[in-house]
Amino acid sequence: MRRAAVVGLVFVMLAGACSRTDDASISGEPSARGEDAAAEDGSWTILQYSMADNNLEEFMMVDLEELAEVESDDGPNIVALVDRSEEESEVALGDQGDWAGARILRLGNGEFSTLSELGDVNTGDPALLADFISESIKENPADHYGLVISDHGASWPGIGPDDSFDDSLELAELQTALGDGLEAAGVERLDVLGFDACLMASY
């Protein structure tokens, strides 16, 4: 019980540290969001970018199964871009089974629903990440937004790879993708940015 309370407190502190510090947040107003957003106060949209076209595929499928257990009826919107390899694991992801290429999925209540089939894409391309951010935010307006990127991490060289394209997201490309995606969505900044990857908390 004590551990759960501590974890909750850490999350609240992290969310507060990553939130806006302009006049709107000080006055208690929600973070900036899309112009046509009709979301309830305190709502969240979490974006999961799973660069699983490599030898981490099997482990990322387990992570996504756990993430899908979140109750979404009154909880966050969870949207994931999941890119899988043709040569790695054959682990099924819920009722999605096994596949090669990328899909955009909605997660929640232990279920997965396909929003779109992207086919063979390069998740190391910053334009793909930017499009995923902008379109997902536009279609899932909320008061708060979080993004988690999963893959191998390498600190200052960035995060990746996507084995099918032998490409990774360098730090400068991450900056470009985040800036372009948020600008296109009409959102000032993310409330939380996380990396499910090694070394990405380096200073």
Side-chain angles (χ1 to χ4, degrees):
M1 185 73 176
R2 182 178 179 183
R3 180 180 178 186
V6 170
V7 171
L9 178 60
V10 169
F11 178 79
V12 170
M13 291 172 65
L14 175 63
C18 296
S19 299
R20 296 171 62 201
T21 56
D22 56 14
D23 292 340
S25 63
I26 293 173
S27 65
E29 297 177 9
S31 301
R33 55 189 183 190
E35 294 179 2
D36 299 325
E40 298 177 359
D41 289 344
S43 58
W44 279 84
T45 289
I46 303 296
L47 308 180
Q48 170 67 41
Y49 193 72
S50 294
M51 302 170 69
D53 189 345
N54 54 54
N55 63 358
L56 291 180
E57 178 181 313
E58 178 178 356
F59 307 103
M60 288 197 210
M61 297 308 105
V62 175
D63 292 341
L64 289 163
E65 291 275 7
E66 294 175 349
L67 185 57
E69 292 302 318
V70 173
E71 294 183 8
S72 60
D73 294 337
D74 296 314
N77 304 306
I78 303 176
V79 181
L81 188 155
V82 183
D83 185 31
R84 300 192 64 169
S85 170
E86 193 168 353
E87 300 177 358
E88 293 295 339
S89 79
E90 298 180 356
V91 174
L93 181 63
D95 60 4
Q96 296 287 312
D98 179 27
W99 77 90
R103 293 178 180 176
I104 296 181
L105 307 171
R106 184 177 302 281
L107 284 63
N109 298 325
E111 299 177 351
F112 301 87
S113 57
T114 303
L115 300 179
S116 61
E117 294 266 6
L118 302 183
D120 197 16
V121 297
N122 178 11
T123 52
D125 182 355
L128 178 67
L129 176 55
D131 287 344
F132 173 61
I133 292 170
S134 63
E135 294 304 313
S136 297
I137 287 178
K138 288 176 183 177
E139 294 173 8
N140 300 275
D143 293 297
H144 304 284
Y145 299 100
L147 169 67
V148 177
I149 303 175
S150 299
D151 201 347
H152 289 287
S155 187
W156 57 267
I159 187 168
D162 183 315
D163 280 351
S164 292
F165 291 86
D166 192 24
D167 196 11
S168 299
L169 285 168
E170 299 177 358
L171 292 188
E173 292 177 320
L174 278 170
Q175 183 178 19
T176 297
L178 292 170
D180 291 350
L182 292 173
E183 181 179 5
V187 172
E188 183 180 348
R189 67 184 66 183
L190 296 168
D191 292 275
V192 174
L193 173 62
F195 293 94
D196 183 12
C198 293
L199 305 175
M200 297 306 292
S202 300
Y203 177 73

